[in-house]
């Protein structure tokens, strides 16, 4: 079956498949001083002129701190099975530290939200950290740059959440997109805290060392929080815990050996930097070669905690990038990215963001790559599309978001084929996002929501994409409690002994090979998202 043919109507996802929409606390809540919340380092950063494209900040966002019941009504309207949201660390522990007081008001807010979800038959899927570090911890010891302090403070914060919410929350994500935390915050300087070697952007920071130090701290904080959960909470609470990594498919620009190698290098830096230690117990060889002694090492004792510290693979992905050898950017693995094929055509439909084009075949390829390499169940925790110039359209036009519908149509087609034809164990899918919201460095100009938000009135309007996602999953998740049976002939083969997998050629098109339209493939890594933000800031 070709990659573009429609799947048989008999294809189903298992009856216990989780699907829904995702959000993040700072992007939707607003009310930054309500309920005893302390500052996060995004509060003031987003208010600095020039740090967001439209000059707007997160003070109000979509006002979901006050309108959370309205958001839940939307979830019920869409008929979701699960909702992924994040907890704001500084709402739980306003000053963030292990010896700082817990805010009972903050606990009460999320407790009400969790209870209300369960009352509506919606499974809470909770992210502990989605980029909003308590400002006090950055002020005290530079946050993620201080491994010895931040790991202890994060684990204490996680403990409070497990103790207070774990009787009802059975799905935990420790971290959202460590690559973005490290590179965008401490390398590019476009996310809080905005540190960079670029003195036009930041008076402080060292882009050659700090991102790798931060990534090291994030891995350890994640791993020790998982260790805590498994040792003290899992037996009684019965939940699952893992990490979610961003990374898009990397496709060789052509079938030359150097570009095939470049695509793997891009994957190694964008995904393997975090996934290889956590799932395989070592760093990618290319990372060690590229960075030398700038790549922090783990002690033997730390490796015992890090390896195997995720029950599943949390996958955030948006696009595919074509990869060329010869780049000079370490954050991209010294690889160049493009959406333009050798014949001059574009990979897919261009989104509002420079870093995003629609290419559903890459979604399927990435699922296969990750499952072959890491052999863990996959939870797709973010996936979405920003329609070009949607912010400039009147509401009655914006809600008919054809490009986003087409994006989700392609992705869901790839998803169900990966499960039924390729044997990939995918257990959840969350569209990004439930609402248009504060899109970090892009401010409110870029809209990813499946629901339109009028920021003047905060009124919500379901878009065609939200209706499509809702209807598709209602039709394709089995009602019986028996899992879909993959075709034995198409099941995933074992990975090589070193955990690597073959990057598809860009010229071969075989009915026996999974990616039928290899010619159009590319892969995107969290790096591409960086490129997006950077190019936006540079006016490219």
């Amino acid at each position: 079956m070709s990659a573009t043919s429609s799947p048989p109507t008999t294809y189903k996802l298992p009856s216990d498949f989780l699907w829904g929409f995702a959000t993040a606390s700072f992007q939707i809540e607003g009310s930054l001083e309500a309920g005893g919340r302390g500052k996060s380092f995004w509060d003031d950063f987003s208010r600095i002129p020039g740090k967001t494209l439209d000059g707007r900040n997160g003070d109000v966002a979509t006002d979901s701190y006050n309108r959370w019941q309205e958001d839940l009504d939307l979830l019920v309207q869409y008929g979701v099975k699960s909702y992924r949201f994040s907890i704001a660390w500084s709402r739980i522990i306003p000053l963030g530290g292990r010896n700082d007081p817990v805010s009972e008001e903050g606990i009460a807010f999320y407790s009400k939200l969790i209870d209300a979800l369960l009352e509506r038959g919606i499974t809470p899927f909770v992210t502990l950290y989605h980029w909003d570090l308590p400002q006090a911890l950055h002020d005290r010891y530079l946050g993620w740059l201080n491994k010895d302090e931040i790991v202890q403070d994060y684990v204490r914060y996680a403990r409070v959440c497990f103790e207070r919410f774990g009787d009802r929350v059975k799905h935990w994500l420790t971290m959202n997109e460590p690559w973005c935390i490290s590179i965008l915050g401490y390398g590019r300087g476009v996310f809080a805290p905005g540190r960079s070697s670029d003195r036009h952007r930041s008076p402080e920071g060292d882009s050659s060392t700090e991102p790798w130090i931060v990534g090291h701290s994030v891995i350890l904080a994640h791993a020790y929080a998982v260790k805590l959960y498994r040792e003290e909470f899992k037996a009684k609470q019965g939940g699952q815990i893992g990490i979610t990594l961003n990374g898009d498919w990397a496709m060789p620009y052509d079938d030359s050996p150097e570009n095939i190698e470049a695509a793997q290098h891009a994957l190694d830096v964008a995904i393997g930097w975090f996934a290889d230690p956590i799932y395989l117990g070592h760093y990618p060889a290319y990372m060690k070669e590229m960075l030398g002694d700038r790549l922090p090492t783990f002690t033997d004792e730390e490796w015992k905690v890090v390896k195997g510290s995720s029950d599943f693979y949390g996958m955030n992905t948006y696009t595919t990038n074509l990869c060329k050898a010869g780049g000079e950017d370490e954050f991209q693995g010294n690889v160049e990215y493009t959406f333009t094929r050798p014949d001059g055509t574009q990979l897919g439909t261009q989104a509002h963001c420079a870093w995003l084009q629609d290419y559903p075949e890459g979604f399927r390829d990435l699922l296969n790559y990750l499952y072959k390499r890491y052999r863990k169940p996959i939870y797709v925790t973010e996936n979405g599309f920003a329609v070009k110039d949607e912010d400039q359209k009147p509401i009655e036009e914006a809600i008919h978001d054809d490009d986003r519908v087409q994006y989700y149509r392609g992705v869901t087609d790839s998803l169900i084929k990966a499960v039924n034809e390729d044997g990939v164990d995918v257990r959840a899918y969350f569209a990004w996002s439930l609402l248009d919201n504060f899109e970090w460095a892009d401010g409110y100009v870029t809209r990813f929501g499946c629901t339109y938000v009028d920021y003047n009135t905060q009124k919500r309007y379901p878009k065609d994409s939200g209706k499509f996602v809702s209807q598709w999953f209602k039709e394709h998740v089995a009602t019986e409690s028996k899992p879909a049976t993959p075709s034995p002939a198409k099941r995933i083969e074992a990975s090589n002994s070193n955990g690597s997998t073959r990057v598809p050629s860009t010229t071969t098109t075989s009915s026996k090979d999974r990616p039928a339209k290899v010619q159009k493939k590319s892969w995107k890594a969290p790096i591409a998202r960086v490129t997006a933000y950077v190019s936006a800031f540079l006016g490219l």
Side-chain angles (χ1 to χ4, degrees):
M1 178 177 291
S2 74
T4 55
S5 60
S6 298
T9 54
T10 53
Y11 280 2
K12 295 288 184 181
L13 298 169
S15 59
D16 59 354
F17 189 92
L18 294 176
W19 71 272
F21 299 95
T23 61
S25 52
F26 192 79
Q27 293 182 268
I28 67 168
E29 285 181 1
S31 299
L32 302 186
E33 297 178 4
R37 178 187 180 277
K39 277 188 177 183
S40 83
F41 65 3
W42 264 98
D43 293 23
D44 288 341
F45 182 81
S46 67
R47 297 172 184 140
I48 298 173
K51 296 303 183 184
T52 62
L53 289 180
D54 57 4
R56 292 185 282 179
N57 55 50
D59 289 4
V60 177
T62 64
D63 195 31
S64 289
Y65 182 80
N66 297 309
R67 298 172 184 264
W68 62 271
Q69 290 175 304
E70 186 178 343
D71 293 345
L72 265 56
D73 289 342
L74 266 174
L75 293 171
V76 170
Q77 181 180 336
Y78 286 129
V80 305
K81 294 180 70 172
S82 186
Y83 176 47
R84 180 191 166 208
F85 65 94
S86 77
I87 292 174
W89 186 342
S90 60
R91 280 204 194 278
I92 303 301
I93 307 172
L95 296 177
R98 55 194 177 276
N99 298 314
D100 293 321
V102 173
S103 167
E104 290 302 324
E105 286 183 273
I107 295 288
F109 171 72
Y110 291 111
S111 192
K112 285 189 300 182
L113 176 62
I114 291 165
D115 285 345
L117 285 167
L118 293 171
E119 288 167 5
R120 291 160 172 79
I122 299 170
T123 299
F125 206 111
V126 178
T127 308
L128 288 171
Y129 185 77
H130 200 126
W131 305 350
D132 45 357
L133 183 77
Q135 180 69 49
L137 302 187
H138 181 74
D139 294 342
R140 286 175 189 172
Y141 54 74
L142 294 181
W144 294 110
L145 285 168
N146 189 323
K147 178 191 77 172
D148 294 335
E149 295 290 337
I150 194 68
V151 171
Q152 294 184 73
D153 285 346
Y154 177 82
V155 171
R156 190 273 182 126
Y157 159 60
R159 174 185 289 279
V160 172
C161 291
F162 299 152
E163 289 174 343
R164 305 301 290 272
F165 309 127
D167 57 331
R168 291 156 290 160
V169 173
K170 307 304 175 185
H171 300 275
W172 295 100
L173 292 170
T174 54
M175 301 283 178
N176 181 77
E177 302 185 345
W179 187 96
C180 290
I181 296 170
S182 308
I183 299 300
L184 300 185
Y186 298 82
R188 304 292 192 200
V190 296
F191 279 11
R195 295 176 66 89
S196 170
S197 292
D198 180 356
R199 290 295 167 257
H200 295 291
R201 185 174 296 283
S202 172
E204 298 178 316
D206 184 346
S207 300
S208 70
T209 59
E210 290 189 3
W212 320 114
I213 294 169
V214 168
H216 188 71
S217 298
V218 169
I219 290 173
L220 286 170
H222 148 79
Y224 278 96
V226 172
K227 181 176 185 288
L228 169 69
Y229 184 77
R230 289 173 174 172
E231 290 178 352
E232 299 188 28
F233 297 95
K234 187 177 179 69
K236 181 177 180 180
Q237 296 179 354
Q240 289 193 316
I241 188 167
I243 192 168
T244 196
L245 307 177
N246 61 308
D248 301 314
W249 183 234
M251 195 162 75
Y253 179 72
D254 55 29
D255 60 359
S256 66
E258 59 269 25
N259 288 336
I260 291 174
E261 184 179 50
Q264 185 59 54
H265 289 168
L267 286 167
D268 287 343
V269 176
I271 294 175
W273 174 14
F274 298 98
D276 280 19
I278 290 169
Y279 298 105
L280 304 179
H282 58 75
Y283 275 119
Y286 181 69
M287 287 283 297
K288 293 186 281 188
E289 173 190 332
M290 183 179 79
L291 296 176
D293 60 8
R294 287 183 292 136
L295 182 65
T297 58
F298 295 107
T299 65
D300 290 343
E301 191 60 36
E302 287 171 340
W303 272 121
K304 292 176 184 176
V305 179
V306 170
K307 184 180 181 182
S309 60
S310 190
D311 295 336
F312 51 83
Y313 189 101
M315 170 179 156
N316 284 8
T317 191
Y318 287 83
T319 194
T320 292
N321 285 283
L322 293 162
C323 298
K324 292 181 181 180
E328 298 180 352
D329 186 345
E330 285 184 337
F331 302 153
Q332 297 186 176
N334 291 324
V335 173
E336 293 183 17
Y337 293 99
T338 182
F339 288 133
T340 305
R341 299 189 188 92
D343 65 3
T345 61
Q346 293 296 291
L347 199 63
T349 301
Q350 180 61 51
H352 187 77
C353 323
W355 53 267
L356 173 53
Q357 286 193 3
D358 179 10
Y359 187 71
E361 293 91 337
F363 182 82
R364 184 175 179 179
D365 290 338
L366 183 60
L367 286 172
N368 274 268
Y369 173 84
L370 295 174
Y371 191 55
K372 287 179 185 178
R373 188 174 180 91
Y374 302 117
R375 285 295 170 181
K376 284 291 184 180
I378 295 173
Y379 290 74
V380 181
T381 44
E382 276 186 35
N383 182 241
F385 190 83
V387 174
K388 191 170 180 60
D389 298 325
E390 188 172 270
D391 189 55
Q392 302 300 314
K393 299 177 180 179
I395 296 172
E396 54 272 19
E397 181 181 345
I399 60 174
H400 299 303
D401 51 343
D402 294 344
D403 285 351
R404 187 177 290 110
V405 170
Q406 182 61 28
Y407 179 92
Y408 283 123
R409 181 176 288 113
V411 165
T412 51
D413 179 79
S414 289
L415 168 67
I416 204 162
K417 287 176 181 174
V419 171
N420 285 272
E421 296 180 11
D422 307 338
V424 181
D425 185 0
V426 186
R427 300 189 183 180
Y429 179 92
F430 294 92
W432 185 269
S433 174
L434 173 64
L435 305 168
D436 292 330
N437 55 50
F438 176 75
E439 189 54 39
W440 308 108
D442 281 10
Y444 297 90
V445 173
T446 301
R447 292 175 177 262
F448 273 94
C450 290
T451 307
Y452 185 94
V453 176
D454 181 343
Y455 295 120
N456 294 318
T457 65
Q458 292 295 344
K459 187 171 180 180
R460 280 81 157 127
Y461 301 84
K463 300 178 188 177
D464 289 348
S465 59
K467 298 172 185 176
F468 172 84
V469 170
S470 170
Q471 188 61 33
W472 191 92
F473 280 100
K474 288 175 184 176
E475 292 175 355
H476 290 87
V477 174
T479 53
E480 298 177 11
S481 58
K482 66 177 183 180
T485 304
S487 304
K490 297 263 189 173
R491 292 193 67 83
I492 288 201
E493 68 275 17
S495 57
N496 297 331
S497 58
N498 65 358
S500 66
T501 56
R502 179 181 65 83
V503 179
S505 160
T506 57
T507 56
T508 305
T509 305
S510 167
S511 61
K512 293 185 292 183
D513 292 333
R514 233 289 304 130
K517 292 177 48 174
V518 218
Q519 211 167 347
K520 297 183 177 178
K521 279 181 184 173
S522 106
W523 83 284
K524 171 211 170 216
I527 297 158
R529 296 182 73 175
V530 159
T531 306
Y533 289 111
V534 173
S535 60
F537 268 83
L538 296 178
L540 300 178

